[in-house]
Amino acid sequence: MSLPKSNSASSLLPSIQSGSPSGLLSGPSDTDYRRQRLQRIGSCSTPIAQNQPDDETTALRALPSGTSYGTLPIVHPRRASTKSDLWIARRRPTLPGLPLTQSVTVSVPDSPSAFSPTFIRDTLRSRISQQRPISAYDAQLVNSTADTADTDIDVRTNGLRVWYSSFSSIDWLHDAIKDSVRFARLRRGKSIRSRLRLAFDKSLGWIIVTIVGFLTAIVAFLVVRAEQWLFDVKQGYCKTVWWHARDFCCPLPDEYGSLDGHCSAWRTCESGGEEGAVQYLMYTVIAVLLASTSTLLTIYLTASTSFVTRKESGVLSPGFDKNGEQNASNSSQPKRGVIYYVRASFVIHGYLGGRVLFTKALGLALSVGSGLSLGKEGPFVHIASCIGNIVSRVHSKYENNEAKRREILSAACAAGVAVAFGAPIGGTLFSLEEVSYFFPPKVISFYCAFFCAMIAAVTLRFLNPFGTGKVVLFQVTYDKDWHAYELIFFLLLGVLGGVYGAYFSKLNYRWSRDVRGGTWLKAHPIAEVILVTLATTVLCFLNPYARMGGTELVYNLFSECRTGSKNSHFNLCVLDPGDFDHVWPVVRAILVAMIVKGFLTIITFGIKLPAGIFIPTLGVGACAGRIVGIAVQWLQYHYPDSTVFAVCEGDMDCVVPGLYAMVGAAAALSGVTRTTVSLAVIVFELTDTLTYAVPVMLSVLVAKTVADALEPKGIYDLVIELSQLPYLDAKHEYLWSNLSINEVTDRDVDVIRIDRHNTVESLRDQLQSLLNAEHDDGGFPILRPSRDGDGVRMVGYIGASELEHALTVVAEAATEEVRFHTTYTHEELATSYSSWVEEPRQGEHDPFDFSVYMDQAPLMIQSNSPLELLHQFFVKLGARYVIVTDTDGDYEGVIDKKTWLAFLSELEEKS
């Protein structure tokens, strides 16, 4: 059986249909349809009637062997060619083969009645799940104009890519080459229209980040207003305007602060004559209801198996099943997920989509409003990234280039931090310090991030979410300067913050691994949320500081006690700081709140609802700092003539406890998240001054140093490790000792030999063997015999996704030979490319020539090279795979990114 050869360039151009692939560069077809076509290769039965369901699935469920898509490959020790016992090799488990050559019958039901329930249900389902047409990633690079051959040689050399599937690694080199070719074509035009298109292309990034910043501020405003009302409704409601939160119902006339007095317009259960038990019951019921609703939205709306996408490979894998169990919810992942998504260079379809955005925003308001020990500031980064991902789809420049899209995501992360803390500069630095895979080579990327953060902060300032003219609730100012003797106490706070950060990370990791993941709670996430909410209401209701919202508590702890002010900030301003009887009750209440908040944050962080860790950590650190500040203030009152306090010159308001709270909060957050520069700048922007730069910088650096000494990994790194997600940490340093590249080279990978007869069926069998070995992110080296006949030389490399798509196109011709060819000189390559782009116009294109997908210039390294050089290939160049050759240039093996990550994981365990 042979396929008809096309007679037009349309055989290479993307199709607008999502069903049967119409050419080598057509858009991704339905995953079920691809699976059926590939399984029927070699079958003698009649062709399959296309009966595609309207919904499609991802391939993210666990495989029978226990390794799910995206996790690190299992390391199988084997005897290496060297004396070292460390070996990472690709093993093919003996899995039962699929009935590839058996007949597959697909029944097509009769058309239902126009008004039958079945017809109505199927119609609605089709409308909801209908997808817009998408093309192959590199389809736009196919240009049939002959004069582009000389400048587009890189397209032919580097090969064409169809799409990325979930948890496949990004090929940064390929995407950089593709964008370079695209931009070169735009610059070639000399007409006015071409120049306008070039100008639009240069300004497109600025337009997108402007929209992202504006929309991020709007969503943040809605979340803040909703969270305020939901949090206060547990204790009462406004009698004048029921949808107003308490601070909007009864604002303070002199200075902003939480109401610690009676407000006639705010009605509580006590004001109606009810007992305190009734108020507690209502508080608990509403809190459980809000938290349960949030977790139900998260689990049932954003389960990873529920996302509809055609950009999935591995359809021949035994674990690919539409009826898979629900996996972890995408919107329950806090800011650590965004850092992983952008920096780890892996694709996760659906993680930053519209459904996750809706669930994240609504669920965040519900979860924070329930009073759980979590914050909304961290998830703002996820929300902003969702907006950036959605907006970037408007143009193929970013939609079809994952590397370029991450420039927008980095800028969106900066906007998320800007709306969370009112710190556009800190957000920009956070984007560079924590989110970006590497510092952008172009300064314009840095400017875009700063511009996006500025737009978000300015827009939120005009929206005025708190009614105070401030972007965040706990933005404070101090009119006192710090003194040299206070550096000792700031150093102490840094040590305390580092100790807390290290042990918080350890305890949360063990709780998540042994309790949440090792008991019955693993299968009952809703029950866990309800139990945690009940524990929170029991422990927090009786303590006024623990019962406060996170931002309200931090604001009051940061606040300065001004002489003559009517706002005592819930009695945090001690009337007589020198009297122990006045000091101890306040210190005891703050200490209890700190212990309760710290414990609840350990068991809350990681549950199945939108949650952040910034505000709870700031609250714990601020409590510790406030206690230290009150203690220093008490010492000054008792020893005013001491040499230490001589610089105060008799000023009894010399010590500002709120300043200590701010320093303690920064130290605790640095100890938990291990951020330094961006965190310090965020604190500077919160206080609107650089006066306290030295205390904050000192505490942050000391906290990170102490935390790194006690626990090398921060909370985000530990959670990524617990989830076994493939993540290459560019900041980590490894000790290679006497290991060599031979220890990690995969010599068992299946290859394609061009000197042998390769048919559609044989390549399909090789593809299934690769997927059965759980290497859906891999590919096949294409080899030819060397001229001396003693070895094999590299011809090219073809990815699994590209081979799967190409085989789907020619599935009807199982016995036809598939060809791969290449040229060896630049002149011959130019001629070959010119012929290739002109072939459709001259008459026909061979669908069995898969050379269009072959990377003819893969990144190669000699086997005697140091491991550090190979590591830099993956870290600095962003390589997806590296071919290993011997000193004579003969092929030895391949190392892909996931194999390298597994090697590093075992190396770290051994060290």
Side-chain angles (χ1 to χ4, degrees):
M1 181 186 300
S2 61
L3 290 180
K5 298 181 179 181
S6 59
N7 56 4
S8 66
S10 61
S11 63
L12 289 176
L13 298 179
S15 169
I16 63 173
Q17 298 177 354
S18 61
S20 174
S22 61
L24 293 182
L25 288 178
S26 60
S29 58
D30 181 84
T31 51
D32 290 332
Y33 180 67
R34 295 206 307 271
R35 181 182 176 91
Q36 291 173 3
R37 286 179 62 86
L38 292 174
Q39 285 180 340
R40 285 184 56 83
I41 292 178
S43 174
C44 297
S45 60
T46 57
I48 301 175
Q50 186 175 342
N51 181 26
Q52 303 176 45
D54 290 324
D55 59 337
E56 298 156 337
T57 183
T58 60
L60 298 182
R61 68 173 300 225
L63 292 175
S65 60
T67 303
S68 62
Y69 278 82
T71 59
L72 292 177
I74 299 176
V75 178
H76 302 279
R78 58 167 281 181
R79 187 174 181 179
S81 58
T82 60
K83 296 181 180 180
S84 175
D85 60 346
L86 185 60
W87 175 267
I88 307 296
R90 181 171 297 169
R91 289 284 189 176
R92 296 181 190 170
T94 56
L95 297 175
L98 294 174
L100 298 177
T101 59
Q102 297 181 1
S103 173
V104 179
T105 304
V106 180
S107 60
V108 183
D110 297 333
S111 299
S113 173
F115 297 99
S116 65
T118 303
F119 177 77
I120 296 175
R121 182 185 68 248
D122 293 343
T123 302
L124 292 177
R125 185 180 182 184
S126 175
R127 294 295 184 184
I128 293 174
S129 62
Q130 186 176 8
Q131 303 179 36
R132 61 189 177 88
I134 56 178
S135 64
Y137 274 17
D138 291 354
Q140 59 180 335
L141 297 183
V142 177
N143 194 322
S144 59
T145 304
D147 60 5
T148 63
D150 294 336
T151 55
D152 292 349
I153 292 300
D154 292 339
V155 178
R156 178 66 168 171
T157 305
N158 195 236
L160 297 176
R161 174 160 292 113
V162 287
W163 55 79
Y164 288 106
S165 58
S166 288
F167 286 101
S168 62
S169 55
I170 297 175
D171 192 341
W172 292 83
L173 297 176
H174 176 90
D175 288 353
I177 294 171
K178 179 171 65 174
D179 186 67
S180 175
V181 172
R182 183 197 61 82
F183 188 70
R185 287 182 177 177
L186 288 175
R187 296 191 62 179
R188 250 195 315 265
K190 302 301 181 181
S191 64
I192 297 179
R193 182 180 179 183
S194 299
R195 293 181 179 180
L196 290 177
R197 290 180 58 188
L198 179 61
F200 174 75
D201 182 82
K202 291 181 178 180
S203 60
L204 182 61
W206 297 97
I207 297 174
I208 290 179
V209 297
T210 301
I211 298 174
V212 170
F214 178 75
L215 294 179
T216 300
I218 293 178
V219 175
F221 169 78
L222 296 176
V223 171
V224 168
R225 284 294 179 92
E227 174 268 325
Q228 286 179 316
W229 182 80
L230 291 172
F231 187 88
D232 290 339
V233 79
K234 302 194 305 292
Q235 305 178 35
Y237 65 94
C238 185
K239 294 187 294 184
T240 56
V241 185
W242 65 269
W243 62 83
H244 276 184
R246 188 176 66 166
D247 291 332
F248 288 96
C249 186
C250 303
L252 289 178
D254 52 352
E255 68 167 328
Y256 184 77
S258 299
L259 293 174
D260 48 0
H262 179 70
C263 176
S264 59
W266 185 259
R267 179 181 176 85
T268 62
C269 294
E270 293 179 345
S271 62
E274 299 292 339
E275 299 293 335
V278 177
Q279 184 183 13
Y280 171 73
L281 180 62
M282 293 297 299
Y283 180 91
T284 304
V285 169
I286 296 176
V288 171
L289 180 62
L290 294 177
S292 301
T293 305
S294 178
T295 190
L296 288 172
L297 288 173
T298 301
I299 292 176
Y300 291 103
L301 280 185
T302 62
S304 60
T305 53
S306 66
F307 283 90
V308 179
T309 177
R310 288 160 284 172
K311 296 179 180 180
E312 290 302 337
S313 184
V315 296
L316 288 179
S317 172
F320 187 83
D321 188 357
K322 292 191 63 173
N323 298 320
E325 298 178 358
Q326 290 180 346
N327 274 343
S329 301
N330 287 326
S331 69
S332 66
Q333 303 298 323
K335 180 169 61 60
R336 68 174 185 269
V338 179
I339 296 175
Y340 164 77
Y341 183 88
V342 180
R343 287 184 57 185
S345 304
F346 286 89
V347 177
I348 310 176
H349 292 308
Y351 180 68
L352 299 179
R355 202 192 322 169
V356 173
L357 172 61
F358 170 79
T359 307
K360 189 79 172 185
L362 180 58
L364 183 61
L366 293 170
S367 59
V368 176
S370 66
L372 291 172
S373 183
L374 47 84
K376 59 181 180 296
E377 280 69 19
F380 277 158
V381 178
H382 191 179
I383 291 175
S385 299
C386 289
I387 296 174
N389 181 65
I390 294 171
V391 176
S392 65
R393 296 176 186 171
V394 300
H395 197 274
S396 60
K397 175 183 178 180
Y398 296 101
E399 182 183 28
N400 293 338
N401 193 312
E402 292 291 341
K404 292 293 293 182
R405 188 186 303 183
R406 270 147 183 76
E407 295 180 5
I408 301 298
L409 296 182
S410 296
C413 290
V417 176
V419 298
F421 298 100
I425 301 177
T428 305
L429 294 177
F430 177 85
S431 175
L432 293 178
E433 182 180 1
E434 293 295 328
V435 179
S436 298
Y437 182 71
F438 55 85
F439 284 91
K442 298 179 181 178
V443 181
I444 189 172
S445 301
F446 179 81
Y447 288 160
C448 283
F450 178 66
F451 185 74
C452 185
M454 182 197 68
I455 293 295
V458 171
T459 304
L460 191 63
R461 180 67 176 267
F462 281 111
L463 293 175
N464 196 13
F466 297 101
T468 63
K470 299 179 180 179
V471 178
V472 291
L473 179 62
F474 46 87
Q475 187 173 353
V476 293
T477 56
Y478 305 114
D479 55 7
K480 302 282 186 181
D481 201 350
W482 62 276
H483 304 285
Y485 74 89
E486 293 180 301
L487 290 176
I488 301 175
F489 302 104
F490 297 149
L491 182 65
L492 174 63
L493 288 175
V495 174
L496 294 177
V499 172
Y500 170 77
Y503 283 98
F504 170 83
S505 301
K506 289 177 179 288
L507 293 175
N508 180 261
Y509 176 82
R510 294 180 180 179
W511 176 272
S512 300
R513 183 191 60 187
D514 301 332
V515 179
R516 180 176 297 124
T519 63
W520 62 274
L521 292 177
K522 181 178 181 179
H524 301 85
I526 301 177
E528 181 190 12
V529 172
I530 294 176
L531 291 177
V532 171
T533 306
L534 290 175
T536 301
T537 57
V538 170
L539 296 176
C540 294
F541 184 77
L542 298 179
N543 187 286
Y545 304 130
R547 190 170 55 185
M548 287 183 186
T551 53
E552 185 181 11
L553 174 62
V554 172
Y555 166 75
N556 284 285
L557 291 171
F558 279 12
S559 297
E560 180 182 3
C561 298
R562 302 180 184 274
T563 304
S565 175
K566 298 179 181 179
N567 189 356
S568 63
H569 299 284
F570 285 91
N571 298 321
L572 286 174
C573 297
V574 182
L575 297 178
D576 187 2
D579 188 353
F580 185 80
D581 294 335
H582 286 80
V583 172
W584 174 242
V586 178
V587 172
R588 181 179 56 191
I590 298 175
L591 183 63
V592 171
M594 181 183 67
I595 296 175
V596 169
K597 286 285 187 180
F599 168 75
L600 291 177
T601 306
I602 291 175
I603 65 174
T604 303
F605 185 67
I607 59 177
K608 291 296 186 295
L609 48 75
I613 198 175
F614 267 30
I615 290 301
T617 304
L618 288 175
V620 172
C623 286
R626 190 84 184 192
I627 292 175
V628 173
I630 293 176
V632 175
Q633 192 179 42
W634 181 83
L635 290 175
Q636 185 203 7
Y637 269 76
H638 274 265
Y639 308 99
D641 299 329
S642 172
T643 306
V644 176
F645 301 105
V647 294
C648 294
E649 298 179 353
D651 183 10
M652 303 310 294
D653 294 330
C654 179
V655 178
V656 181
L659 173 59
Y660 288 79
M662 181 189 68
V663 174
L669 190 57
S670 177
V672 171
T673 64
R674 311 300 165 88
T675 53
T676 53
V677 178
S678 59
L679 175 60
V681 175
I682 288 173
V683 175
F684 300 158
E685 293 184 87
L686 283 175
T687 56
D688 291 333
T689 181
L690 293 176
T691 305
Y692 312 105
V694 173
V696 172
M697 293 169 61
L698 176 65
S699 63
V700 165
L701 291 176
V702 170
K704 186 181 187 305
T705 303
V706 173
D708 286 339
L710 298 176
E711 171 54 57
K713 294 184 178 181
I715 184 63
Y716 299 136
D717 296 327
L718 288 176
V719 173
I720 291 175
E721 176 185 328
L722 182 65
S723 303
Q724 294 186 355
L725 295 172
Y727 176 65
L728 180 60
D729 190 359
K731 301 178 181 178
H732 191 76
E733 296 182 358
Y734 297 92
L735 298 177
W736 310 113
S737 71
N738 60 343
L739 299 176
S740 66
I741 291 182
N742 290 325
E743 312 297 332
V744 68
T745 302
D746 189 351
R747 295 177 174 84
D748 294 336
V749 61
D750 204 355
V751 299
I752 299 175
R753 295 284 296 268
I754 63 174
D755 58 328
R756 297 174 182 174
H757 187 69
N758 299 298
T759 64
V760 173
E761 185 174 4
S762 66
L763 291 180
R764 190 278 316 273
D765 294 340
Q766 286 185 267
L767 176 63
Q768 185 177 357
S769 298
L770 182 74
L771 298 177
N772 286 345
E774 303 173 10
H775 288 279
D776 56 294
D777 192 28
F780 297 93
I782 303 173
L783 308 177
R784 63 173 177 85
S786 59
R787 295 182 178 180
D788 55 11
D790 294 335
V792 288
R793 291 298 180 102
M794 195 72 188
V795 174
Y797 187 93
I798 184 170
S801 298
E802 286 69 41
L803 182 59
E804 177 187 302
H805 176 71
L807 291 175
T808 306
V809 175
V810 297
E812 288 84 357
T815 60
E816 288 288 335
E817 182 180 4
V818 174
R819 289 171 290 279
F820 299 91
H821 64 81
T822 184
T823 51
Y824 309 107
T825 65
H826 190 274
E827 293 76 11
E828 292 175 345
L829 185 59
T831 304
S832 173
Y833 183 79
S834 301
S835 302
W836 175 65
V837 297
E838 292 177 356
E839 272 182 0
R841 305 176 91 187
Q842 295 177 354
E844 58 184 29
H845 170 75
D846 186 2
F848 298 99
D849 184 4
F850 289 0
S851 304
V852 62
Y853 299 116
M854 184 175 60
D855 182 3
Q856 301 181 24
L859 194 62
M860 292 188 286
I861 189 172
Q862 287 191 176
S863 57
N864 61 349
S865 301
L867 280 176
E868 181 63 28
L869 177 61
L870 176 62
H871 184 63
Q872 295 303 321
F873 275 13
F874 287 106
V875 172
K876 298 293 178 60
L877 297 181
R880 191 180 188 184
Y881 51 84
V882 178
I883 305 299
V884 181
T885 63
D886 60 15
T887 54
D888 296 328
D890 291 336
Y891 168 83
E892 283 199 358
V894 63
I895 305 173
D896 60 33
K897 198 166 191 176
K898 288 186 178 179
T899 302
W900 179 246
L901 288 172
F903 173 79
L904 294 180
S905 178
E906 183 179 346
L907 179 64
E908 190 172 1
E909 291 178 1
K910 287 182 176 293
S911 62

